[in-house]
Amino acid sequence: MRLFLLPLKNAYIGWRRSLTLGTFIFIVSILLVIFNMFIMTVKSNMQNAIINSLTGDIQLRSAGTEEKDMFSTSGNWGKASILDNEQVNTIKNTVNRFDKRIVIYDRIRYNAFFESDKAKDAFMFIGMDPKNDQYKKAFKLEEGRYLEPGNLNEIVLSKTQAKSLDVKPGDNIKAYSKTINGDMVSKTLKVVGIGDFELLSSFSFSVAYVHVESARELAGLRSGEATDVITYIPDKGKTDEIAGEIASSLDKVKLDKSKVKLTTWKDMGGFVMGLITLITMMFYCFIIILMIIVAILIINLIFMIGMERRQEMGTLRAIGFGVFRIVTIFMSEIIFIALSFSILGVLAGAGITLYFSQNPILASPPWDFAMGKRFFFNFDYWQIIYVLGIVMVFTFIASYYPSYKAASLKPVDTLKEE
Amino acid sequence: MIHIHQVKKDYCIGKAFVHALRGINLDIGKGEFLTIAGPSGSGKSTLLNLIGCLDYPSSGEIVINDVSIGGLRDREMNNIRLNTIGFIFQSFNLIPVLNVFENVELPLLIMKGVSAGERKKRVDYFIEAVGLSKQVKQKPSELSGGQRQRVAVARALATKPKIVLADEPTANLDSKTGIEIIELMHEISRRESTTFVFSTHDPKVMQRADRVVRIEDGLIKNGGEI
């Protein structure tokens, strides 16, 4: 143990050099903690937004539909994409039998033409059970209220739609649609709320919410029929596992892949999440560049130390120290500096993220598309250990080769240069 | 104790080929206090480096304490340097960030079978033997040249080596301090029965040796036999 006095003292005596390296390690650690928690939070928020507003955790649809239809206002909701009453009931019963805690709703996605006193526009609407309040977590009201279970003829519009139709809460609009049977139907709906998808608005995704029975009327569906059934499962980590088990349960009641398409939010949100992955990659590229700079710094530093301490190494070799013991001494010095400053860095990063997990960052465009208007960090203690581990492994890798190179010189050569 | 037979050492310096040692034969007995004398570039340091297992001969054989070093691997050479040989250098070669006690203690930290208590006892003993008991906490930069070389002597002896090699140990000291260091080494050699081999070109220092081996142009001129 006393052998480590040497690297500790070297780090202390050469405090300027230690401070230079330490400052870089500190910056990398603090940035890694903040970026990791930021990306983790954005991803989680975005996932929740997609799940709550659109897809649920697991969605069951007619086999004829595609994932991209979830975002489309030009979907062809023909007969092939409708789940009939029996299929919906079988799905619901199967899922309920599987796990009572899974929340399950039938929904209707359809397109219609809407007309107010002043303007007209076509867009997609989602007919849903007003008891399903998951969408409220993603769709933030700016005026009015959400749908109420007892009122069938109501609609909640996005800001874009409200602007396009030039309406406000309390106004009536007329919806025209062609049913799946080809009949034209119309219906008067009262605008009760106007809001927006906080995290999905930048994806040109605009949807209105109506009562599921109104949607059935506009789509020409019979009672119990739906375009899809969505579920919210209590443990999101088990989404794939539960999806697999539901699929095999459905197989047993003859609702196999050819009839019912079962998809998790991961598949359906792929397009949106792809963009998030791109942003994540950009952040990580920045981190990697920073880490490479630190690696170059560490390598240079050790080569410098090696040059400066040639005589010291020669002396250590002469008195019986082997190459790996000298490598250990060298690396201990670097690792001691890295560990000290990395701990300070992750603690500072944790402090900042912890503060912003209680106090929101108010984001303005274009940042609000990824962060929402009020961004709260999701604080995760594991990130501290994770970042500390990454920095230390990185330091270890960066310092090993130059340490080995410096310590491998023949003792007679290092002593010769006195 | 040390048997050197027909040892040659050649170097390449750039394109030049240098014959540093050209067939050395030398036997050194246990407890001898021997000096290798000769002018600069005669091969003194090269010979000490070979005896000290810091380098391999180009040809010939070196046997130290009944072990031929010719075919030894790096790890085995380390073990011989740690357990059998002590080094004293011209420039003292102390570790600047460590104090006197820690410098002397350094080789003992990697020696097997030496407990913390034994380590402290040995370090205190040799620091006292070289007369630096009052300077244990001082760093090399706070000591005079003579004191630094005393620390180096204590460090070389701390592992209780059978052989101590000193390459021009008095070269960076004034003549009075140089003589003091040589006398200290001689006294310890007698007391501990340790073989001392040191190089010098100072006649006053040579006079203190039991035997003087003269080396010139890589060959022993006289004093090679006991």
Side-chain angles (χ1 to χ4, degrees):
Chain A
M1 202 61 200
R2 275 181 69 81
L3 199 56
F4 291 104
L5 255 181
L6 184 56
L8 291 183
K9 286 196 170 186
N10 274 328
Y12 174 70
I13 300 287
W15 66 269
R16 278 195 184 86
R17 190 164 40 206
S18 305
L19 197 63
T20 310
L21 174 66
T23 306
F24 270 86
I25 300 268
F26 176 82
I27 292 169
V28 166
S29 305
I30 200 169
L31 289 179
L32 265 179
V33 169
I34 293 173
F35 282 174
N36 267 343
M37 289 208 204
F38 175 76
I39 287 165
M40 197 185 70
T41 309
V42 167
K43 267 183 141 175
S44 154
N45 288 352
M46 199 65 87
Q47 283 168 14
N48 287 334
I50 293 169
I51 292 166
N52 293 329
S53 66
L54 202 58
T55 65
D57 290 305
I58 300 167
Q59 190 188 54
L60 298 110
R61 315 189 303 282
S62 171
T65 56
E66 296 296 329
E67 277 76 32
K68 64 180 166 56
D69 295 340
M70 295 303 300
F71 300 92
S72 171
T73 52
S74 58
N76 177 21
W77 313 114
K79 235 175 181 168
S81 58
I82 302 296
L83 293 169
D84 64 30
N85 188 11
E86 195 186 335
Q87 287 174 323
V88 169
N89 282 333
T90 310
I91 290 169
K92 282 183 168 178
N93 289 337
T94 307
V95 173
N96 270 332
R97 262 203 309 276
F98 178 73
D99 187 342
K100 289 261 183 280
R101 293 173 306 154
I102 297 175
V103 180
I104 183 159
Y105 292 105
D106 50 338
R107 292 191 324 181
I108 291 150
R109 285 173 287 116
Y110 212 70
N111 293 319
F113 191 79
F114 295 87
E115 186 182 38
S116 71
D117 293 343
K118 299 155 200 162
K120 41 188 126 171
D121 198 359
F123 44 82
M124 185 170 94
F125 61 85
I126 292 180
M128 49 177 271
D129 188 336
K131 282 184 216 150
N132 174 6
D133 55 3
Q134 295 284 340
Y135 79 104
K136 294 176 188 172
K137 293 178 189 169
F139 190 91
K140 298 292 174 193
L141 275 183
E142 292 192 4
E143 292 177 73
R145 60 167 173 81
Y146 293 106
L147 297 175
E148 282 178 355
N151 304 325
L152 294 187
N153 302 319
E154 291 181 346
I155 187 165
V156 171
L157 294 174
S158 74
K159 257 187 353 185
T160 325
Q161 292 162 345
K163 197 176 169 192
S164 159
L165 295 171
D166 197 9
V167 290
K168 54 185 190 307
D171 291 346
N172 285 324
I173 56 172
K174 198 118 178 162
Y176 300 93
S177 77
K178 192 178 174 186
T179 67
I180 54 166
N181 301 316
D183 303 329
M184 292 301 297
V185 291
S186 69
K187 188 172 178 63
T188 303
L189 298 165
K190 187 180 179 187
V191 178
V192 291
I194 296 168
D196 226 336
F197 290 106
E198 207 171 35
L199 294 167
L200 302 174
S201 55
S202 294
F203 295 98
S204 307
F205 173 68
S206 193
V207 69
Y209 288 107
V210 296
H211 196 288
V212 70
E213 292 306 331
S214 297
R216 245 178 217 123
E217 199 180 326
L218 287 167
L221 302 186
R222 289 190 293 271
S223 176
E225 288 180 335
T227 54
D228 48 69
V229 174
I230 57 167
T231 66
Y232 297 98
I233 59 173
D235 183 359
K236 297 202 185 312
K238 289 187 175 168
T239 304
D240 290 332
E241 189 188 325
I242 291 174
E245 287 172 20
I246 291 175
S248 58
S249 302
L250 286 174
D251 267 356
K252 286 175 194 161
V253 290
K254 299 199 164 59
L255 279 182
D256 60 16
K257 269 190 265 184
S258 65
K259 296 189 183 99
V260 174
K261 195 164 196 172
L262 184 148
T263 351
T264 66
W265 68 269
K266 291 176 194 169
D267 304 316
M268 291 181 285
F271 165 69
V272 178
M273 292 313 290
L275 279 177
I276 298 303
T277 308
L278 192 70
I279 297 165
T280 307
M281 297 288 279
M282 280 164 61
F283 273 119
Y284 279 119
C285 280
F286 175 69
I287 292 287
I288 288 168
I289 291 168
L290 209 63
M291 296 288 269
I292 289 170
I293 294 171
V294 172
I296 293 168
L297 194 82
I298 290 173
I299 291 166
N300 271 334
L301 198 73
I302 296 178
F303 275 129
M304 250 167 59
I305 294 172
M307 301 265 274
E308 279 172 19
R309 299 197 197 144
R310 277 176 81 89
Q311 199 192 53
E312 184 177 314
M313 277 186 295
T315 308
L316 291 175
R317 294 300 312 273
I319 63 176
F321 280 68
V323 171
F324 283 99
R325 216 181 281 268
I326 296 176
V327 169
T328 308
I329 289 173
F330 257 60
M331 289 183 66
S332 304
E333 184 177 337
I334 301 296
I335 285 169
F336 168 70
I337 296 166
L339 185 64
S340 310
F341 283 88
S342 187
I343 287 173
L344 289 177
V346 293
L347 288 179
I352 291 168
T353 45
L354 197 58
Y355 175 80
F356 285 113
S357 68
Q358 309 294 323
N359 304 282
I361 297 170
L362 303 175
S364 50
W367 295 101
D368 61 341
F369 104 90
M371 298 167 67
K373 288 193 166 41
R374 286 159 59 83
F375 183 82
F376 289 91
F377 269 96
N378 287 349
F379 186 77
D380 179 10
Y381 285 100
W382 282 106
Q383 285 295 319
I384 297 174
I385 294 160
Y386 171 73
V387 169
L388 208 57
I390 292 271
V391 172
M392 293 321 294
V393 167
F394 192 78
T395 306
F396 185 87
I397 293 168
S399 58
Y400 181 79
Y401 175 71
S403 301
Y404 180 76
K405 199 79 179 133
S408 300
L409 290 168
K410 281 167 72 177
V412 71
D413 291 336
T414 53
L415 290 166
K416 215 181 271 177
E417 294 173 38
E418 286 167 20
Chain B
M1 170 68 38
I2 302 169
H3 172 72
I4 299 167
H5 178 66
Q6 278 301 311
V7 165
K8 292 181 183 173
K9 181 69 188 177
D10 306 319
Y11 294 111
C12 270
I13 302 173
K15 287 180 181 172
F17 202 67
V18 179
H19 302 285
L21 297 177
R22 298 190 291 175
I24 297 279
N25 291 304
L26 178 64
D27 287 299
I28 302 168
K30 191 183 175 196
E32 260 203 273
F33 194 71
L34 177 145
T35 184
I36 297 169
S40 289
S42 58
K44 303 186 299 288
S45 296
T46 305
L47 182 58
L48 281 176
N49 287 340
L50 292 177
I51 298 171
C53 298
L54 293 171
D55 207 354
Y56 293 91
S58 304
S59 66
E61 188 185 30
I62 300 176
V63 178
I64 293 166
N65 213 19
D66 298 326
V67 178
S68 173
I69 66 161
L72 296 184
R73 287 178 297 181
D74 193 53
R75 180 178 286 196
E76 292 161 325
M77 295 282 258
N78 288 340
N79 281 337
I80 294 183
R81 289 199 296 269
L82 177 64
N83 298 303
T84 312
I85 300 168
F87 285 92
I88 299 166
F89 301 95
Q90 181 182 332
S91 309
F92 325 124
N93 288 29
L94 301 176
I95 307 297
V97 295
L98 301 180
N99 64 29
V100 169
F101 186 95
E102 290 157 354
N103 262 292
V104 177
E105 188 188 30
L106 196 56
L108 295 175
L109 294 173
I110 56 167
M111 264 191 114
K112 283 177 186 157
V114 181
S115 66
E118 164 71 6
R119 207 162 61 212
K120 188 176 181 319
K121 214 167 119 186
R122 267 205 227 181
V123 174
D124 286 340
Y125 172 79
F126 284 107
I127 287 176
E128 198 184 335
V130 297
L132 288 176
S133 298
K134 288 179 183 161
Q135 283 84 14
V136 279
K137 295 278 178 205
Q138 289 183 353
K139 297 258 170 66
S141 58
E142 297 161 339
L143 302 172
S144 68
Q147 286 174 323
R148 287 184 208 180
Q149 199 58 301
R150 283 168 185 269
V151 179
V153 171
R155 183 181 64 189
L157 293 165
T159 56
K160 295 191 174 169
K162 292 186 172 63
I163 304 158
V164 174
L165 302 173
D167 190 7
E168 308 242 15
T170 60
N172 282 343
L173 303 173
D174 60 70
S175 57
K176 184 174 168 275
T177 313
I179 298 297
E180 278 175 17
I181 289 292
I182 292 297
E183 281 177 351
L184 172 70
M185 283 164 48
H186 204 169
E187 186 200 322
I188 291 169
S189 170
R190 276 195 296 263
R191 199 197 309 161
E192 309 283 334
S193 294
T194 307
T195 304
F196 268 77
V197 181
F198 60 98
S199 64
T200 186
H201 50 250
D202 184 344
K204 285 182 194 164
V205 172
M206 281 178 226
Q207 286 171 14
R208 262 68 184 181
D210 295 341
R211 178 157 65 115
V212 179
V213 174
R214 287 187 189 279
I215 185 167
E216 268 177 44
D217 297 326
L219 285 168
I220 289 177
K221 290 295 169 190
N222 65 343
E225 296 82 33
I226 299 174

